[in-house]
Amino acid sequence: MRRYILTGTPGASKTTVLRALAARGHRTVGEAATAVIAREQAQGVREPWTDPGFLTRVTAEQRAREARADAAPDPAGLCFLDRSPVCTHALAAYLGHPVPPDLTAELGRITAAGRYEPHVFLLRPLGFLEPTAARRITYEESLAFEKLHEESYRRFGFRLVEVAPATVEERVERILAEVGER
């Protein structure tokens, strides 16, 4: 199976693009960190990302989501992911948390196995950021966070393919053209 990662700053429309890819029949894996945040906020934890164990829970959620996607039949053999453990590495840097052992192990596993395609789609920001319960950073802070993503992906040997701001359909077409699908 060919697995392609979508990454970028919060609010760059990764989830919207992922949904459009799913609507075209492609296998997708949603973002884990937002799901962990939502689940923990529903349990009364206001800022789950401040807990050092947060990154371990995100890593476990990512792996579980990918395992479910791997088990589903897909004749095309393509899977698009909204973020990856490399993004969690960037999140650790952004939060100032040490990289937990579970994440270190997962990063070793995915790089040794060549789990993902070597080029990662970097969706560039749209020029604004709408705050949510999980997204409490400013647009300027999100740009700094984007740079950490770029650094993490390069550190782990990935090549970034920029996807400029455009309509969702134009971004989907750009991604599918890059992977040789239409």
Side-chain angles (χ1 to χ4, degrees), residues 36-65:
V36 171
I37 291 169
R39 185 170 53 241
E40 293 184 9
Q41 285 180 334
Q43 295 170 351
V45 180
R46 287 183 36 124
E47 296 180 340
W49 54 87
T50 61
D51 175 14
F54 172 71
L55 298 171
T56 297
R57 293 189 297 279
V58 171
T59 302
E61 180 72 20
Q62 285 170 327
R63 188 148 188 193
R65 285 170 177 246

Side-chain angles (χ1 to χ4, degrees), residues 75-122:
L78 292 174
C79 184
F80 295 94
L81 300 96
D82 186 346
R83 301 206 182 275
S84 79
V86 179
C87 293
T88 308
H89 180 271
L91 181 58
Y94 182 77
L95 294 173
H97 291 314
V99 176
D102 293 31
L103 178 55
T104 299
E106 185 67 1
L107 291 164
R109 182 185 77 85
I110 65 170
T111 53
R115 180 149 177 87
Y116 307 115
E117 292 299 311
H119 52 285
V120 171
F121 295 101
L122 175 63

Side-chain angles (χ1 to χ4, degrees), residues 120-154:
V120 171
F121 295 101
L122 175 63
L123 279 71
R124 289 298 187 186
L126 302 175
F128 63 93
L129 180 68
E130 292 183 25
T132 67
R135 186 187 308 142
R136 296 184 188 175
I137 63 175
T138 66
Y139 181 69
E140 292 72 26
E141 290 167 333
S142 76
L143 296 177
F145 192 26
E146 178 185 52
K147 294 294 179 211
L148 292 172
H149 280 81
E150 291 179 49
E151 291 168 12
S152 288
Y153 276 99
R154 288 189 179 107

Side-chain angles (χ1 to χ4, degrees), residues 160-178:
L160 297 167
V161 176
E162 292 191 24
V163 180
T167 67
V168 171
E169 201 56 36
E170 289 168 331
R171 286 176 144 195
V172 167
E173 287 298 322
R174 164 81 167 99
I175 291 165
L176 291 177
E178 183 73 27

